[in-house]
Amino acid sequence: MIPTPDDVWRAAERIKGIAQTTPLLNSPVLDEMSGCTLFAKAENLQVTGSFKIRGAGNRLVQLSAEQRKTGVVAFSSGNHAQGVARAARHVNCPAVIVMPSDAPQVKIEGVRRDGADIVLYDRNAQSREEIAANLVEMRGAVLVPSYDDPNIVAGQGTTGLEMVQQARALQTTFEHVIVCAGGGGLGSGMSLAFEAIMPGTELWTAEPEGHDDWARSLNNKTLLANPPGTRSICDAILTPQPGNIPFEIARSRFAGGLVVSDEQVKWAMQVAFSHLKLVLEPGGAVALAAALYALPDHMRGSTVGITLSGGNVDPQLFADCLLA
Amino acid sequence: MIPTPDDVWRAAERIKGIAQTTPLLNSPVLDEMSGCTLFAKAENLQVTGSFKIRGAGNRLVQLSAEQRKTGVVAFSSGNHAQGVARAARHVNCPAVIVMPSDAPQVKIEGVRRDGADIVLYDRNAQSREEIAANLVEMRGAVLVPSYDDPNIVAGQGTTGLEMVQQARALQTTFEHVIVCAGGGGLGSGMSLAFEAIMPGTELWTAEPEGHDDWARSLNNKTLLANPPGTRSICDAILTPQPGNIPFEIARSRFAGGLVVSDEQVKWAMQVAFSHLKLVLEPGGAVALAAALYALPDHMRGSTVGITLSGGNVDPQLFADCLLA
């Protein structure tokens, strides 16, 4: 049930040709601004514009011939949706994605482009879990969870494996790594890789205010949910609470959680625009925002890795964030 | 006077530690949109946000100890300015940059951040050549031209060397390469590398309408200027005519020139935003615009390399282009 570092190495083999190795970027300007030596893992440059293809690819290449015929079902606000749709195209299997009707247009288009069917639902009136469960039953399809699944976690963990390999190639070591956290598939998967091959690295989650379930859960060593009804621009990571498997892995492997405001997220998007020439979506910019505006004192002067976990943002929202 | 491929190889050695190896990116969506297999050299991710650091680095590391004391002078609308300022910081020599007062703010800030002095001038009333010549005389400084210089051309040519190496690593060959062209330092330098190590590649310039001096000059086998007073959003590449050294090199090595409208440049910036998650400035997007909207029929279905030559654009202009 709980994946191991070996599962991460196996996932890395399985997703070759589906996901890409993304660059690890450094910028002297960002070093100056953050007060640390910052290395940013640019998963916004990943296939489908986020790390989610890693987990989806790792899950879908393991489908049986029979399962590839009946296909897969997933629900997601967009990045996991695109990962599943692209992975399904790779293994030539039908996919139905349940998405909220207010999902970013760029994410809906991305799913459609890869040939998946989309079922839109009303976020306030309908349950996506129920819709997906019905589809699974009707079609005999396989549900692909977005984070609470050992294969998804192991797939996302390949991000950490690459970061360690890239740091070594630069003859450097991360003293700290900050990971954007929603359900926690990315961070927990990465922590398996770090524990095995760069065990001295201290890991931190990053989240928007009002959705600090990870920070509170890690702090209290127990799984805590967000109060309902809180809002943030970080659509990609607004999960109700940490995933069960991710939290089980992360609770002993993460030092804690950092929290940033939506305003700080916008500033981080502006910094990525001006100094990295990269497009980040709000949820993909929280770790950068934490490094720039909420860095704990003990990290100053150290070597810090961060994830830039996605770049799927609509032009109007991006323009609004740039000029905010 | 005219650099050789050997000068490009030497430049590549000299600029190690000053410039970076930028990624060569492919996107299935862009392949579909362009009708060819497209590989984009992301020089917007280069140090200082454009390829210009390559040439400036190659020139400045060759300054004598004496020249490093008296320093350098350059004039530029911004990308060469930033390249020279950064290279000067590397070799610890003073730099004065003559920039138009209406240069993009992001470029002026970039120069200032690297500690160079800036002399602003009025594009419509003053001659930057005269201002720079006076500074050179007063200070005994070295003028660093932005393209009409063999060391600058050889330095920019390292972009082509890297593209060939990266294509080979992917076991592919460019049948055509399209290069953003202002003075032509980048394209002419790249053509030296291609002729030497990937000689079957057909090279094309890309320019905005009204500034099609390269297309007309290549077509007529003689150096032709732009009519005065034409406008375009592509500030980085609005040179009056091809550089003498660049044209001398390129005239026999380029197949011709492609021309795109400012509107097509904006669309290309939108495509880079949506599908590459990259920030391009208008002048850095002309080759992509040509591949997407002005691809000659004989290139359809072929493997095409393009330069994404810069990403230094002010937020307001970028937002305007995104929403155009």
Side-chain angles (χ1 to χ4, degrees):
Chain A
M1 186 85 171
I2 299 291
T4 66
D6 275 349
D7 292 318
V8 179
W9 316 155
R10 270 184 223 115
E13 288 304 315
R14 285 192 200 106
I15 64 175
K16 276 183 184 163
I18 298 179
Q20 292 182 348
T21 299
T22 54
L24 184 73
L25 303 171
N26 170 255
S27 149
V29 179
L30 265 66
D31 288 353
E32 271 172 47
M33 291 179 76
S34 65
C36 58
T37 303
L38 208 60
F39 289 96
K41 181 67 170 165
E43 283 293 297
N44 62 324
L45 302 181
Q46 184 55 271
V47 175
T48 72
S50 89
F51 68 92
K52 291 282 190 177
I53 183 72
R54 296 172 180 270
N58 187 44
R59 179 69 191 87
L60 265 64
V61 296
Q62 297 182 72
L63 291 175
S64 68
E66 184 61 33
Q67 289 171 322
R68 287 183 198 207
K69 266 181 223 153
T70 49
V72 293
V73 170
F75 50 85
S76 154
S77 74
N79 283 336
H80 176 59
Q82 287 179 89
V84 171
R86 178 64 60 91
R89 202 170 92 168
H90 264 281
V91 303
N92 196 20
C93 105
V96 186
I97 315 286
V98 182
M99 298 181 78
S101 51
D102 63 349
Q105 201 55 35
V106 65
K107 296 182 178 179
I108 295 175
E109 282 164 16
V111 170
R112 192 162 285 145
R113 198 179 308 111
D114 277 324
D117 289 329
I118 298 176
V119 175
L120 293 177
Y121 73 99
D122 177 346
R123 218 189 254 271
N124 302 309
Q126 295 176 281
S127 155
R128 62 183 192 173
E129 287 82 0
E130 269 177 36
I131 297 171
N134 284 338
L135 285 164
V136 164
E137 198 176 308
M138 267 173 16
R139 297 170 166 246
V142 174
L143 183 72
V144 184
S146 58
Y147 47 83
D148 230 340
D149 178 292
N151 281 298
I152 299 293
V153 167
Q156 321 302 31
T158 61
T159 311
L161 169 60
E162 276 180 28
M163 285 179 77
V164 171
Q165 291 168 335
Q166 290 169 318
R168 288 215 179 120
L170 296 168
Q171 300 184 302
T172 191
T173 301
F174 302 117
E175 292 164 83
H176 309 91
V177 164
I178 309 173
V179 189
C180 307
L186 177 61
S188 62
M190 286 173 57
S191 75
L192 296 172
F194 274 92
E195 189 182 54
I197 54 176
M198 198 173 266
T201 304
E202 196 180 85
L203 301 174
W204 292 75
T205 56
E207 297 166 292
E209 282 172 9
H211 279 82
D212 59 346
D213 48 318
W214 271 101
R216 287 181 294 107
S217 297
L218 289 170
N219 205 28
N220 288 283
K221 308 274 179 212
T222 186
L223 208 155
L224 298 172
N226 290 309
T230 52
R231 288 173 175 276
S232 159
I233 56 169
C234 302
D235 66 276
I237 55 175
L238 301 187
T239 41
Q241 60 182 51
N244 290 309
I245 294 175
F247 187 67
E248 192 55 35
I249 297 168
R251 60 188 302 166
S252 62
R253 293 176 176 89
F254 271 70
L258 306 177
V259 180
V260 293
S261 67
D262 274 6
E263 182 146 41
Q264 290 170 328
V265 169
K266 289 179 192 175
W267 297 341
M269 290 168 69
Q270 293 168 9
V271 168
F273 166 86
S274 294
H275 301 299
L276 295 175
K277 313 303 174 190
L278 292 182
V279 175
L280 295 183
E281 63 182 287
V286 289
L288 176 59
L292 291 173
Y293 310 115
L295 197 74
D297 282 341
H298 78 281
M299 293 196 203
R300 299 217 173 271
S302 72
T303 299
V304 178
I306 59 170
T307 58
L308 308 176
S309 52
N312 292 312
V313 52
D314 280 338
Q316 183 66 59
L317 176 62
F318 191 76
D320 292 345
C321 290
L322 265 198
L323 305 176
Chain B
M1 187 84 171
I2 301 291
T4 66
D6 275 349
D7 291 318
V8 179
W9 315 157
R10 271 183 223 116
E13 288 305 315
R14 285 192 200 106
I15 65 176
K16 276 183 184 161
I18 298 180
Q20 291 182 349
T21 300
T22 54
L24 184 72
L25 303 171
N26 170 255
S27 150
V29 180
L30 265 67
D31 288 353
E32 273 173 43
M33 293 179 76
S34 65
C36 57
T37 303
L38 207 60
F39 289 95
K41 181 66 171 166
E43 283 293 297
N44 62 324
L45 302 181
Q46 184 56 268
V47 174
T48 73
S50 89
F51 67 94
K52 291 282 191 177
I53 184 73
R54 296 174 180 269
N58 187 44
R59 179 68 191 88
L60 265 62
V61 295
Q62 296 182 71
L63 291 174
S64 68
E66 184 62 29
Q67 288 171 324
R68 286 182 198 207
K69 267 182 223 153
T70 49
V72 294
V73 170
F75 50 85
S76 154
S77 75
N79 284 337
H80 177 58
Q82 285 179 93
V84 171
R86 178 65 61 90
R89 201 170 93 170
H90 264 281
V91 303
N92 197 22
C93 106
V96 186
I97 316 287
V98 182
M99 299 181 77
S101 50
D102 62 349
Q105 201 57 35
V106 64
K107 296 183 178 179
I108 295 176
E109 281 163 17
V111 170
R112 191 163 286 144
R113 199 179 308 109
D114 277 325
D117 288 329
I118 299 175
V119 175
L120 295 176
Y121 73 100
D122 178 347
R123 217 188 255 271
N124 301 310
Q126 294 176 282
S127 155
R128 61 184 193 173
E129 288 82 358
E130 268 176 36
I131 296 170
N134 283 339
L135 285 164
V136 164
E137 197 176 309
M138 266 173 14
R139 297 171 166 246
V142 173
L143 183 71
V144 183
S146 58
Y147 47 82
D148 230 341
D149 178 291
N151 281 297
I152 299 293
V153 167
Q156 321 301 31
T158 60
T159 312
L161 170 59
E162 275 180 30
M163 285 180 76
V164 171
Q165 292 167 335
Q166 290 170 317
R168 289 217 178 119
L170 296 167
Q171 298 183 303
T172 191
T173 301
F174 301 118
E175 292 165 81
H176 309 91
V177 164
I178 308 173
V179 190
C180 307
L186 177 61
S188 61
M190 285 173 58
S191 74
L192 296 171
F194 274 92
E195 190 182 52
I197 54 177
M198 198 172 266
T201 305
E202 196 179 84
L203 302 173
W204 291 75
T205 56
E207 296 165 291
E209 282 173 8
H211 278 82
D212 59 348
D213 48 318
W214 271 101
R216 288 181 294 107
S217 298
L218 289 169
N219 206 29
N220 288 283
K221 308 276 179 209
T222 186
L223 207 155
L224 298 172
N226 290 309
T230 52
R231 285 171 177 277
S232 159
I233 57 168
C234 302
D235 67 275
I237 56 174
L238 302 186
T239 42
Q241 60 182 51
N244 290 309
I245 295 175
F247 186 67
E248 193 55 36
I249 298 168
R251 58 186 303 165
S252 63
R253 292 176 176 89
F254 271 70
L258 307 177
V259 180
V260 294
S261 68
D262 273 6
E263 184 146 40
Q264 290 169 328
V265 168
K266 289 179 192 173
W267 296 341
M269 290 169 69
Q270 293 169 9
V271 168
F273 166 86
S274 294
H275 301 298
L276 296 175
K277 312 303 174 192
L278 291 182
V279 175
L280 295 183
E281 64 181 288
V286 289
L288 176 59
L292 291 172
Y293 310 116
L295 197 73
D297 282 341
H298 77 283
M299 293 195 203
R300 298 216 175 273
S302 72
T303 300
V304 178
I306 59 170
T307 58
L308 308 176
S309 52
N312 292 311
V313 52
D314 279 337
Q316 183 66 59
L317 176 62
F318 191 76
D320 292 346
C321 290
L322 265 197
L323 305 175

